[in-house]
Amino acid sequence: MAIPSIDISSADNYPKPDGIKFGYGTAGFRYNANILSSTVFRVGVLAALRSRYLGGKVIGVMITASHNPPPDNGAKIVDPAGDMLEEAWETYATDLANAATSQDLADRVNELIKNLNIDISTPANVIYARDSRESGPALVKALEAGLKAAHDAKSTDYGLLTTPQLHYLVKSLNTLKSANSYGVPTEEGYYKKLANAYKKVLSGSEPYSITIDAANGIGAPKVSELVKHLEGTIDMTLINGKYEDPSLLNSSCGADYVKTNQRLPGGLDADVPKLKLFCSFDGDADRIVFFYIDEDGKFRLLDGDKIATLAASFLKDLVQETNSGLNIGVVQTAYANGSSTEYLESVLKVPVVCTPTGVKHLHHAAQQFDIGVYFEANGHGTVLFHPDAVAKLQTFQVSSPAQKAAIDTLLALSDLVNQTVGDALSDLLLVLAILTIKRWNPADWNQSYTDLPNRLLKAEVRDRTMFKVTNAERTLVEPPLLQSQIDNLVQKYSQGRSFVRASGTENVVRIYAEAVTQTLADELGVKVSHLLEAYK
Ligand code: 16G
Ligand code: ZN
């Protein structure tokens, strides 16, 4: 008789709610926490299978709903290299989550084992952590039950972490004792790696002063810990740091609030000093945006596009000094402001690739360069240093002190910047390092290019799956004719650009419009959204 793949009796404790179809989307599963326990149990089962399928490599599971409101939660699986779950397995995750009964679940699991030829006697190894949400501990119990039901997978609970810290641990554990070991696989190891790299890049500089809005999330205690390791090399003030009160999470604060509303987060004094740098994390600290008040008292956002251009221009200069011939590219999505793309291509002369929305797409495209900078406008992103490029720099024959200094800085940056996923803490240090070296205040940073006015709208439609896109989401192929109607509108606007795509996280279609003035961008956006009324 075949060995039963999972212990059905414990699956019975986590029945799937009726009438809901779960989907593993760009950011894993994300729903109201009340309906999530069956799904998280099954994530445990799948993570154990994934680990066995990969010969016992360490797989991560993060319990978080990022910038969503406090009642939500979610789960995402981290692959051995610290990147996102392989796409084919997203389908398996969705399939298991939707099994109606425990028996149905066991059948689907058996089928997977058979189809993928998984040896279930291979020991599985899964690590997990959660953000600061109230529902976290109960969902961790469901996850542990799923891991146990899947033939007692070996597992380690890392408690409260930011999402990128868990990614770091997964990669570090899987590269332990190898020639290219990523880091010491502990939370302490993470802080030390970042702090040492920062100190190397910035020896002897004055500490840069910044106020951090931590969205009342897990980023608050973690950035405070990081700052301790930085030993006075940054001058940080923390606001919205009440992570112990989960009802405050992302409430009128955090990266999503600041980016969407283009305004200061709550929790600041009325009198905000001008030209002082601020930043906001999201709820699990994998996303960051910066901002400041300019000399005229106006709020100015420095979003993912501004981070990408700052990093690309700095890295390009450094690479030139090394004379190493390494190439640099930038990866953006259709939401990147047209001015940023223009600046990268025409002024910096850096190649730009556009991919569909979602970190995994940008990440894969960035891996094609020696140094790949990727950022979504919303502040998700990082800089990837290709392992061959790092090896080349490490063994490079230097001929001048300037060249050596540039190589040392690049190598330190490859340690400073999280190589697994966008990381608010690591991106924060990257930006501060560049601003310190350039002696720039936020206005100096902002003046590289001026954003084109833009407008983001959403529309409810009867079925968002009918909106099919191509060309990295910039062109609709279905419904027929809609794209040519949009094109007809766009050509009437100076510097006009607009596209429509179905959201991956909400039941809506998003409309983006850009034009030479705010009035025109608004008008174009509204006109395009009128076109969508036919699909209500
Ligand atoms: C998810 C993605 C984020 C993307 C957003 C788009 C990850 C980790 N997160 O949150 O990168 O910007 O979805 O949302 O990939 P939308 O599909 O609703 O526009
Ligand atoms: Zn996040």
Side-chain angles (χ1 to χ4, degrees):
M1 205 184 86
I3 312 171
S5 57
I6 58 162
D7 171 2
I8 296 193
S9 62
S10 68
D12 278 341
N13 297 330
Y14 299 92
K16 177 185 175 291
D18 288 334
I20 294 166
K21 169 127 179 49
F22 293 104
Y24 194 100
T26 36
F29 292 110
R30 208 180 280 182
Y31 295 90
N32 186 295
N34 290 333
I35 57 164
L36 258 180
S37 54
S38 66
T39 296
V40 173
F41 176 93
R42 291 146 192 233
V43 164
V45 173
L46 190 80
L49 284 181
R50 177 98 180 125
S51 173
R52 294 195 167 104
Y53 174 74
L54 297 171
K57 291 241 167 74
V58 178
I59 294 292
V61 176
M62 184 71 199
I63 305 291
T64 177
S66 189
H67 63 267
N68 285 38
D72 287 356
N73 214 329
K76 50 186 173 188
I77 299 179
V78 180
D79 257 358
D83 50 359
M84 309 263 176
L85 178 66
E86 187 185 296
E87 217 157 320
W89 281 69
E90 293 183 358
T91 317
Y92 309 149
T94 298
D95 190 48
L96 295 195
N98 290 305
T101 61
S102 301
Q103 186 55 54
D104 185 12
L105 174 64
D107 292 346
R108 292 183 191 204
V109 168
N110 279 329
E111 207 176 295
L112 258 187
I113 291 173
K114 197 166 126 234
N115 291 347
L116 298 174
N117 206 0
I118 299 172
D119 177 359
I120 58 166
S121 66
T122 308
N125 199 345
V126 177
I127 69 169
Y128 52 91
R130 61 185 168 90
D131 71 14
S132 58
R133 285 163 201 270
E134 197 172 357
S135 54
L139 290 176
V140 159
K141 289 265 177 313
L143 178 74
E144 286 168 343
L147 290 165
K148 194 159 187 323
H151 283 275
D152 253 336
K154 178 180 167 217
S155 63
T156 313
D157 180 1
Y158 279 86
L160 291 167
L161 289 182
T162 70
T163 294
Q165 287 181 321
L166 183 76
H167 285 253
Y168 166 91
L169 289 172
V170 170
K171 189 176 172 92
S172 298
L173 286 165
N174 283 310
T175 54
L176 198 63
K177 293 182 197 140
S178 81
N180 52 355
S181 115
Y182 185 59
V184 177
T186 59
E187 194 181 330
E188 178 79 11
Y190 167 90
Y191 298 123
K192 283 197 169 142
K193 178 169 176 164
L194 263 57
N196 289 341
Y198 191 72
K199 287 184 245 170
K200 238 185 235 165
V201 178
L202 284 185
S203 51
S205 310
E206 278 291 298
Y208 208 97
S209 148
I210 183 154
T211 297
I212 299 172
D213 156 26
N216 292 316
I218 189 59
K222 304 304 182 187
V223 78
S224 304
E225 198 54 40
L226 174 64
V227 167
K228 280 188 212 153
H229 286 81
L230 287 164
E231 295 167 339
T233 46
I234 79 169
D235 168 15
M236 177 196 75
T237 308
L238 190 68
I239 59 164
N240 301 320
K242 298 197 186 76
Y243 77 102
E244 291 114 325
D245 182 350
S247 69
L248 299 175
L249 179 66
N250 298 323
S251 167
S252 299
C253 60
D256 201 60
Y257 176 87
V258 171
K259 165 85 183 161
T260 314
N261 299 294
Q262 305 260 335
R263 59 182 294 185
L264 294 172
L268 279 171
D269 294 340
D271 197 16
V272 174
K274 290 175 179 167
L275 297 181
K276 177 178 163 39
L277 187 65
F278 291 82
C279 71
S280 287
F281 298 169
D282 74 341
D284 60 338
D286 63 351
R287 182 174 155 189
I288 187 168
V289 294
F290 295 80
F291 50 92
Y292 70 101
I293 299 293
D294 73 9
E295 273 165 332
D296 302 325
K298 268 185 85 174
F299 171 88
R300 297 285 178 188
L301 181 71
L302 296 153
D303 63 1
D305 299 341
K306 291 275 178 182
I307 303 173
T309 49
L310 178 76
S313 104
F314 182 73
L315 289 164
K316 192 177 173 208
D317 289 348
L318 267 181
V319 165
Q320 243 152 20
E321 274 179 53
T322 65
N323 227 346
S324 57
L326 297 180
N327 67 46
I328 299 185
V330 176
V331 186
Q332 301 187 308
T333 71
Y335 291 106
N337 194 278
S339 295
S340 71
T341 314
E342 164 77 16
Y343 174 77
L344 286 163
E345 288 179 332
S346 308
V347 180
L348 294 184
K349 309 226 179 298
V350 173
V352 179
V353 174
C354 184
T355 71
T357 302
V359 169
K360 63 176 183 228
H361 300 295
L362 291 105
H363 191 90
H364 289 146
Q367 285 172 327
Q368 309 310 314
F369 295 101
D370 292 331
I371 300 178
V373 179
Y374 76 83
F375 275 90
E376 290 189 313
N378 64 19
H380 268 296
T382 190
V383 180
L384 297 182
F385 292 78
H386 196 287
D388 295 346
V390 173
K392 184 172 180 181
L393 291 173
Q394 279 164 341
T395 53
F396 208 72
Q397 290 297 321
V398 289
S399 51
S400 75
Q403 197 184 19
K404 166 129 184 31
I407 287 178
D408 288 347
T409 305
L410 272 179
L411 286 172
L413 288 174
S414 75
D415 280 335
L416 181 67
V417 186
N418 196 320
Q419 296 298 290
T420 62
V421 76
D423 179 341
L425 272 58
S426 156
D427 290 340
L428 166 70
L429 296 187
L430 172 69
V431 166
L432 293 182
I434 300 174
L435 295 180
T436 306
I437 291 171
K438 288 187 176 271
R439 298 175 189 269
W440 272 6
N441 70 23
D444 298 326
W445 173 12
N446 196 29
Q447 60 79 47
S448 54
Y449 66 88
T450 307
D451 273 327
L452 271 175
N454 57 85
R455 182 81 188 268
L456 191 59
L457 295 163
K458 50 186 172 183
E460 284 183 16
V461 292
R462 57 180 180 273
D463 176 13
R464 76 189 207 274
T465 62
M466 67 199 272
F467 292 80
K468 304 239 168 13
V469 287
T470 183
N471 186 24
E473 301 179 332
R474 290 168 294 187
T475 311
L476 280 167
V477 284
E478 277 178 45
L481 298 186
L482 183 55
Q483 186 61 47
S484 56
Q485 292 173 315
I486 296 173
D487 293 344
N488 282 340
L489 284 173
V490 166
Q491 63 170 10
K492 298 187 182 123
Y493 290 81
S494 170
Q495 292 183 266
R497 185 168 73 93
S498 178
F499 65 92
V500 167
R501 64 174 269 279
S503 158
T505 62
E506 273 182 80
N507 194 16
V508 295
V509 166
R510 297 198 196 286
I511 301 135
Y512 179 86
E514 208 171 78
V516 72
T517 66
Q518 191 62 52
T519 315
L520 291 173
D522 292 348
E523 188 184 297
L524 176 58
V526 169
K527 284 200 174 155
V528 173
S529 63
H530 286 330
L531 294 175
L532 291 169
E533 276 168 16
Y535 304 94
K536 253 194 185 148

